[in-house]
Every structure is written in C-alpha cells, then in structure tokens.
Amino acid sequence: MSEDAPPPGGGPAPPHGGPVLRRMAGRGREEEHRAATPLELFFDLCFVVAVAVAGRELVHALAEGHAAQGVPGYLMAFFAIWLAWLNFTWFASAYDTDDVLYRVVTLIQITGVLILSAGIPRAFDHSDFSVVWFGYLVMRLALVSQWLRAAYSTEGAERRTALKYAAGVSLCQVGWLGLLFLPDRAKPWVFLAMACAELAVPMFAERHWQTAWHPHHIAERYGLFTIIVLGETVSAATVAVQSALEESEALGELLPMAAGGLLLIFAAFWIYFAVPIHQHLASNRQSFLWGYGHYFVFASAAAIGAGIEVAVEEAVGKAHVSTFAASGAVTVPGALFMFLVWLFHSRHYKRGTAQQLVLPLSALAILACTFAGGGAVLLTGLVASVTVAVGVWLSTKNPPLAEA
C-alpha cells in the first residue's frame, strides 16, 4: 500500500454507552457524520487547566523581565501539553470504540494530564521535570495499552503499525528520563532531541499502513482545541476588564486595552475558522505537516492571553518591564498567530495574490503596533479587525477554492 493511499474499510460508528468490550477495529475515513464525542470534549476540557497553568507561568516570567527564561520554558511546557493531546486525538480518530474499557483508559489518561499540569510550575521555576514525567508515564501506560489492544484486534500491516506505535511511545517515555538525571545545561538539548523523536514515531509507524483517522473528525478536534486556547485569551481580557474596574485611576488606559484584546481574540477566531480545512487532509504527508504545525499555532494563540495580562499589569504598575516590552508581549504572539495560520492552515484555500498577502501583511502591521506605546493593544485589535474585513471583502469578490 502506498504512503498516500487511505486504508480500506472501517466499521460504523459505535453507539455511545456501548458494551464493556468490543473489537478495536479501525473506524474508516469515509464514515459519515463523524463528530467529536462527549468523552473527547471532556478530555479537551481537562486541558484547560494545563494551558492556564502554562500561561500563568509565562505571565510571571514576562512581567518580571525574565523573557529569556520564560519563553523557552513556556514553549517546552506547551509542547508537553500539546503532545499529550495530539497522541490521544489521532488515536481516538482511528480506534475509538466507546466501550467501557476504552472510557476507563481515557479517564486514566485525563488523570495523567492533571498530574502534568500540577508539575508545570516546578518545571518552570526549578527545571524539575519529575512530576511532569510521572504525569506522562500515567498517560503513556494508558496509551500504550490502547495500541496493544488495537494490535490484538487487527492483523497484518495494521497490527504491525499498532505495535510500532506502542514500541515508539514506550521508548520515547524512557528517553524523557534524560530531563530528570542530566545536568540543567543539557536539558534543552535532550528536550529538542526527544521532541524530534516523538514527532518521528507516527512517520515511522505508518510507513506501510495508515491508521484510519478521519479528516473531518481531525479538523473538528483541532478546531475545538483552538477554541480552548482562545478561551484562555478571553479569560485574560476579562482580567483586564476586572482590573479596570478595581483600578479606577487607570480606567482610561485599561478599557481600551481590554477592547483591543477582545478585538484581537475575535479576529483570531474568525480567521482560523474561515476555511473548511478537512478537504485538505487527504494524505499523511499533508496532514502531519498541518497537524505538527499547529503546535506553533496553538502556542501563539495561548500566548496572546498571557501577553494581554502582562500589558494590564504594566499599565497599573505591577510589572517590572517597559511599555514597549509589555506591548510586544501582545503583538509578537498576535503577529505569529496571523502568519502561522496562513502558513499551515488558510493559504491552501486562498485565491490570487491579494488573498494570499492579507495575513502576512497583517502580521507585519501588528508587529509595527509594538511602537504605539500605551495604545499598542487597542491598535493591534483594530488592525486584526481590519484584517477580517479585508478578508471578507476579498472573499466576496473571489470566493476561496473550497467555495468556488
């Protein structure tokens, strides 16, 4: 079977609340009406805690002027969060049986996510990854058991693929022990090497057989996680409004900041969901690049919320950074989000040079807002709003490829 050929077959969708145990067969890529299950929604909800903890640690680091330590720490913590979500999401898209055993194992994975969340502050502050590693161990034991169950229920190339996943995930979990026992100066290199190893596991495992992940289901799952990280930015904007009410002497500065933050969040939502990306997910090559690229999309979206909080703290005199640095905490992740959504997501459905240039030029304009002083956040929101308006106008003149 070629790398880009979808696997055949796949059974019908299992009903919710199924039996104790059923055969774990591939779901099938052509299955109709495939949507996220309540269990998947609950799994995503538990990640709100992890994303919030990572964002809070980033806020503390940036507000204290420790960006050189805080940004790498945030990227490492967010990678751990995203990878845990990624492992479950793609497996569930292919092999969700929704029986009792599957649900119990998934709840064990959720327990691991919560342990991971509890360990993020120690990893940030003291480079102590022991709790994070243990949380991963809980999740990985559950995930490997799922892959072994899939191997037991299948045969031939599909069975070998499941066994490769089980072996690859197990070996990577052992490799992460380097974060516990090697000196601090070596930990960034261990992290980089192990991140590459983690991302190589699916490409190695699915070389001869593609798991039956569902394009529409995967697109929906990624969209739901985008809503989660944007929800954290909404929380940050709410903090800005609350601070404005409590710090009445700074009301004139904080209310425009809150308005700009909300405009940026609303624009980010609009821009991400403007295209039906499931039509692009036709092969592993396309889907893995799109799926892996979302690490940067998700991380930048969540960082916008942290940036808004830093800007608010600087406005009321609680942050030990300049106005320029506080503005950059919003504009840099905002610009990255615009560019990365275009690069990995929306450019596949843009028609003509004008449509293709909207988001890259918007990213540059948002970066320029960094120099706007106390009005940087409001101006960033206005630029993002204009970006949406221009995109809608161009789409009415020349519909995207998916709508043509």
Side-chain angles (χ1 to χ4, degrees), residues 193-278:
M194 290 311 306
C196 293
E198 290 278 4
L199 299 183
V201 169
M203 292 182 281
F204 165 73
E206 302 203 20
R207 183 177 179 183
H208 300 294
W209 176 273
Q210 286 188 19
T211 53
W213 51 266
H214 193 283
H216 195 284
H217 178 249
I218 286 292
E220 181 188 19
R221 298 290 288 113
Y222 272 71
L224 291 171
F225 200 76
T226 300
I227 291 174
I228 283 177
V229 295
L230 289 178
E232 285 304 307
T233 66
V234 171
S235 177
T238 303
V239 170
V241 174
Q242 181 180 358
S243 298
L245 295 175
E246 294 176 353
E247 302 286 343
S248 57
E249 67 275 10
L251 192 64
E253 296 178 7
L254 291 177
L255 286 182
M257 194 173 294
L262 283 175
L263 288 174
L264 178 58
I265 295 163
F266 294 161
F269 171 86
W270 190 297
I271 289 166
Y272 183 88
F273 289 98
V275 298
I277 196 63
H278 67 274

Side-chain angles (χ1 to χ4, degrees), residues 77-112:
F78 201 91
F79 183 87
I81 296 167
W82 168 78
L83 185 65
W85 177 86
L86 184 84
N87 288 163
F88 170 79
T89 295
W90 288 80
F91 178 87
S93 188
Y95 290 107
D96 181 4
T97 59
D98 198 39
D99 56 20
V100 171
L101 179 59
Y102 179 86
R103 289 188 174 195
V104 170
V105 173
T106 300
L107 294 176
I108 293 173
Q109 288 179 276
I110 290 174
T111 303

